[in-house]
């Protein structure tokens, strides 16, 4: 048992008992002749008193000694003990969000009952929506990205320094063979192509890294762009000295938030190396000056760097907020099994504010009017299918330019995926995108999910607006009750 945990539990119990006795810190100090400042540090979990002082506190507070030093918390504080013992506060680097762990401990110690109620509520919500530990960490990572508008200058500069140090030409398309040479010569890697072919149950993994021997086992199904991205990530782990890392791609498990965070940092580095900032910035300026929307030109922009739309779209979420100041945007990735009408929102990011299209954990049906969903009907093998749509949300009175690219899923056989970016239509966006008024870009009224959709004439609705019907029924009941009250008043 960590000493810190023991101190925290003792402090919480002492404060709870003192409060129940209607004693102030000043009053307890007078009764025990222990300084008020020292008692305050005990209650905040910073100090643990010696045996003689515990005995004195026990006597003054009329509480059994064993009860005071026991690590067992009563029902009111039990959830707090679970949180503290789980070490979840240790797993998330709170300093990334400008928070010190001591600040949280102060909050807990100052209002333990209220904090306990809040934590209990979060636990219940998590259970209700089937939120896993993985979901929690990924939500924390998204919050970190969003807090920085998903742009990290230090990583961008690291890419430029790396390119200069290793003479990587950022004006040319990065090839896997160039990065492979650096991994082998500089970082002493052993790379085994088709190294996973004998493990049939690992067919969805692209690679496995063996840290002890610095051996990288590659799948026999990866294409050039995937290999380049894998190599770039491995370089990032080494060049940026990221020790606590994941050993599989895509990952199957992680042990800490640091691993999730370092995986993001390595992926950001890889994306910035494959798609350099200045190159994509120049590309986008040219594209935004076009009078007409051109999906073929957009596809050419992607393939200039990679054949992975996701890598390109992820890079857009870095560049658009920073360079073009389009800070109200969202990124979505949908997956769909061929022949089914089921769609999973497997990845999302919202910059500046939570935009209307968001993932839900209650198995509701995403709006079939979204270009993100419609595009699955147009997928062609070995091609990138790209379309654009203006999505208007009547409920929120907001419109988004949504660009969507779809391909067969590179990681799952018989699955497809669509990668999407949505930009809030505003005076700023209108002034910078010449093609925004192109009539070939269809405008559609959309909802979020069928269950919550207010659109009455939808011809692709999967189910009725059950959640809105519940709201309407409750409102009718409330109005009737109010009428009865008025009638009898």
């Amino acid at each position: 048992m960590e000493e810190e945990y023991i101190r925290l539990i003792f402090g919480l119990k002492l404060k709870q008992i003192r409060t129940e006795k209607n004693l102030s810190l000043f009053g307890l100090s007078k009764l025990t002749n222990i300084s008020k400042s020292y008692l305050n540090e005990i209650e905040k979990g910073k100090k643990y008193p010696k045996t003689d002082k515990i005995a004195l506190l026990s006597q003054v507070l009329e509480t059994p000694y064993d009860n005071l030093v026991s690590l067992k918390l009563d029902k009111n504080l039990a959830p707090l003990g679970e949180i503290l013992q789980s070490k979840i506060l240790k797993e998330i680097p709170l300093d990334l969000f400008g928070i010190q762990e001591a600040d949280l401990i102060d909050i807990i110690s100052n209002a333990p009952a209220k904090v306990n109620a809040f934590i209990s509520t979060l636990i219940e919500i998590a259970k209700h929506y089937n939120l896993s530990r993985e979901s929690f960490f990924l939500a924390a990572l998204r919050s970190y990205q969003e807090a920085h508008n998903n742009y990290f200058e230090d990583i961008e500069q690291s890419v430029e320094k790396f390119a200069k140090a290793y003479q990587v030409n950022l004006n040319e398309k990065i090839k896997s063979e160039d990065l492979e040479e650096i991994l082998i010569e500089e970082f002493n890697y052993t790379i085994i192509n088709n190294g996973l072919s004998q493990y049939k149950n690992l067919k969805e993994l692209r690679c496995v890294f063996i840290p002890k021997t610095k051996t990288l086992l590659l799948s026999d199904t990866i294409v050039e762009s995937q290999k380049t991205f894998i190599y770039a990530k491995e370089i990032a782990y080494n060049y940026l000295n990221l020790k606590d890392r994941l050993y599989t791609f895509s990952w199957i498990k992680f042990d800490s938030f640091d691993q999730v965070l370092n995986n993001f940092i390595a992926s950001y580095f890889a994306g910035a190396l494959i798609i350099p900032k200045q190159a994509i910035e120049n590309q986008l300026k040219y594209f935004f000056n076009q009078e007409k929307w051109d999906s073929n030109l957009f596809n050419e922009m992607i393939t200039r760097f990679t054949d992975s739309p996701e890598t390109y779209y992820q890079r857009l979420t870095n560049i658009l907020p920073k360079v073009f100041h389009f800070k109200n945007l969202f990124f979505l990735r949908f997956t769909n099994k061929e022949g089914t009408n089921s769609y999973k929102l497997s990845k999302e990011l919202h910059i500046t504010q939570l935009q209307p299209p968001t993932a839900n954990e209650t198995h509701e049906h995403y709006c079939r009017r979204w270009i993100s969903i419609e595009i699955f009907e147009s997928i062609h093998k070995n091609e990138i299918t790209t379309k654009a749509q203006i999505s208007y949300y009547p409920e929120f009175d907001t419109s988004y330019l949504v660009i969507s690219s779809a391909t067969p899923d590179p990681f799952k056989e018989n699955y497809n995926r669509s990668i999407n970016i949505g930009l809030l239509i505003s005076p700023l966006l209108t002034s910078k995108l010449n093609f925004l008024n192109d009539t070939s870009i269809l405008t559609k009224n959309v909802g979020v999910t069928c269950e919550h959709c207010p659109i009455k004439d939808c011809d692709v609705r999967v189910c009725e607006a059950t959640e809105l019907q519940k709201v309407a029924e409750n409102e009718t009941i409330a109005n009737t009750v109010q009428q009865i009250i008025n009638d009898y008043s």
Side-chain angles (χ1 to χ4, degrees):
M1 192 73 67
E2 286 190 9
E3 289 183 11
E4 184 178 26
Y5 174 70
I6 296 172
R7 292 198 307 270
L8 289 170
I9 295 301
F10 186 89
L12 287 172
K13 294 184 77 170
L14 178 62
K15 182 163 187 174
Q16 183 185 38
I17 295 168
R18 175 180 64 77
T19 304
E20 288 172 354
K21 300 287 184 181
N22 292 317
L23 269 174
S24 65
L25 273 175
F26 180 86
L28 184 58
S29 174
K30 281 287 188 180
L31 289 172
T32 59
N33 203 29
I34 301 173
S35 72
K36 178 185 170 183
S37 61
Y38 186 66
L39 288 171
N40 186 44
E41 288 194 313
I42 291 174
E43 290 191 353
K44 290 186 175 183
K46 297 177 180 178
K47 301 285 186 182
Y48 192 87
K50 293 182 179 179
T51 304
D52 60 332
K53 285 187 171 56
I54 296 175
L56 180 58
L57 289 167
S58 170
Q59 179 184 347
V60 169
L61 295 171
E62 300 176 338
T63 300
Y65 182 98
D66 290 345
N67 178 55
L68 198 56
V69 298
S70 169
L71 294 175
K72 186 176 181 181
L73 291 166
D74 65 21
K75 184 179 179 181
N76 291 333
L77 294 178
L80 279 180
E82 291 178 17
I83 293 293
L84 294 172
Q85 194 170 16
S86 71
K87 302 179 185 177
I88 197 165
L89 298 181
K90 294 289 187 187
E91 292 192 40
I92 300 178
L94 296 169
D95 57 298
L96 292 178
F97 303 95
I99 301 171
Q100 298 300 317
E101 186 179 352
D103 297 335
L104 291 184
I105 301 305
D106 282 346
I107 293 171
I108 292 172
S109 63
N110 285 331
K114 292 180 180 179
V115 175
N116 173 65
F118 176 67
I119 291 173
S120 297
T121 301
L122 291 181
I123 291 172
E124 286 302 312
I125 292 172
K127 289 178 180 176
H128 184 71
Y129 287 96
N130 299 317
L131 294 177
S132 63
R133 181 170 176 267
E134 179 182 74
S135 298
F136 176 78
F137 281 147
L138 293 178
L141 175 63
R142 285 196 300 273
S143 296
Y144 174 61
Q145 292 175 255
E146 292 160 9
H148 293 81
N149 290 330
N150 203 33
Y151 182 83
F152 298 87
E153 185 65 39
D154 56 337
I155 306 178
E156 299 281 349
Q157 290 176 357
S158 294
V159 168
E160 293 179 5
K161 290 177 182 177
F162 167 80
K164 183 177 181 180
Y166 289 89
Q167 290 299 290
V168 176
N169 189 349
L170 295 180
N171 294 318
E172 296 181 357
K173 187 172 183 178
I174 304 293
K175 298 178 181 178
S176 65
E177 60 192 46
D178 299 326
L179 303 183
E180 182 177 278
E181 183 180 12
I182 295 171
L183 284 173
I184 294 172
E185 296 295 329
E186 186 68 16
F187 299 114
N188 302 315
Y189 269 51
T190 298
I191 297 174
I192 302 178
N193 290 294
N194 306 329
L196 299 180
S197 58
Q198 59 181 309
Y199 305 102
K200 302 303 180 185
N201 62 330
L202 300 184
K203 61 182 181 180
E204 292 186 8
L205 293 184
R206 304 301 100 188
C207 66
V208 174
F209 177 66
I210 315 299
K212 188 174 182 179
T213 58
K214 283 200 165 185
T215 301
L216 185 64
L217 305 177
L218 299 176
S219 167
D220 57 357
T221 62
I222 60 174
V223 297
E224 167 65 15
S225 65
Q226 293 168 349
K227 182 183 287 189
T228 303
F229 190 82
I230 289 168
Y231 287 169
K233 275 188 71 174
E234 291 300 322
I235 284 173
Y237 278 126
N238 287 272
Y239 184 71
L240 300 178
N241 198 30
L242 303 174
K243 298 297 185 185
D244 196 2
R245 56 161 294 177
L246 300 169
Y247 298 123
T248 56
F249 178 67
S250 54
W251 76 50
I252 52 174
K253 68 183 290 289
F254 52 76
D255 299 318
S256 68
F257 181 75
D258 277 345
Q259 291 181 350
V260 178
L261 179 62
N262 288 341
N263 179 75
F264 162 72
I265 293 171
S267 296
Y268 189 111
F269 182 99
L273 179 61
I274 294 168
I275 307 175
K277 178 184 173 183
Q278 192 60 55
I280 189 173
E281 181 181 337
N282 293 339
Q283 191 185 65
L284 287 170
K285 285 178 179 176
Y286 174 78
F287 182 66
F288 292 160
N289 280 329
Q290 302 304 302
E291 296 293 334
K292 297 288 185 181
W293 160 257
D294 188 340
S295 58
N296 291 327
L297 176 57
F298 191 84
N299 287 346
E300 289 173 9
M301 289 163 57
I302 296 174
T303 55
R304 152 73 175 82
F305 303 104
T306 176
D307 58 11
S308 168
E310 180 165 3
T311 301
Y312 189 82
Y313 276 69
Q314 288 278 16
R315 194 69 176 123
L316 288 179
T317 67
N318 308 140
I319 300 303
L320 292 176
K322 175 65 178 179
V323 178
F324 298 92
H325 309 292
F326 301 154
K327 294 182 179 179
N328 289 306
L329 64 79
F330 61 80
F331 167 93
L332 305 175
R333 181 182 71 196
F334 282 94
T335 56
N336 162 254
K337 186 175 183 180
E338 291 180 1
T340 71
N341 196 28
S342 177
Y343 304 90
K344 180 181 179 182
L345 206 174
S346 53
K347 199 169 189 179
E348 66 175 324
L349 181 70
H350 301 259
I351 305 297
T352 302
Q353 62 186 33
L354 194 62
Q355 318 299 330
T358 58
N360 72 79
E361 301 284 344
T362 55
H363 310 294
E364 293 184 14
H365 299 84
Y366 296 110
C367 179
R368 273 23 181 194
R369 292 185 172 205
W370 287 351
I371 192 63
S372 317
I373 303 294
E374 285 186 7
I375 199 169
F376 282 102
E377 299 176 4
S378 308
I379 290 179
H380 302 289
K381 268 195 171 182
N382 303 320
E383 287 183 21
I384 299 173
T385 302
T386 297
K387 294 186 177 183
Q389 176 190 84
I390 293 177
S391 296
Y392 174 66
Y393 290 83
E395 185 179 359
F396 305 98
D397 191 27
T398 54
S399 296
Y400 294 84
L401 170 66
V402 183
I403 302 174
S404 179
S405 293
T407 62
D409 194 315
F411 301 111
K412 283 188 177 181
E413 193 174 351
N414 299 321
Y415 278 79
N416 298 316
R417 62 164 52 178
S418 73
I419 311 298
N420 312 269
I421 195 163
L423 305 172
L424 180 69
I425 295 181
S426 63
L428 174 66
L429 192 75
T430 304
S431 68
K432 292 194 175 183
L433 269 62
N434 285 344
F435 61 77
L436 197 56
N437 293 321
D438 184 355
T439 55
S440 70
I441 304 176
L442 297 180
T443 297
K444 286 194 176 184
N445 289 355
V446 299
V448 178
T449 65
C450 291
E451 286 80 354
H452 283 87
C453 183
I455 300 173
K456 299 185 182 299
D457 59 346
C458 181
D459 57 352
V460 291
R461 180 184 288 280
V462 178
C463 69
E464 294 301 314
T466 53
E467 294 302 317
L468 291 184
Q469 290 170 4
K470 288 178 186 177
V471 172
E473 289 170 4
N474 290 336
E475 188 173 343
T476 301
I477 292 170
N479 290 338
T480 303
V481 170
Q482 186 60 50
Q483 185 62 50
I484 292 172
I485 293 171
N486 294 339
D487 291 343
Y488 282 86
S489 297

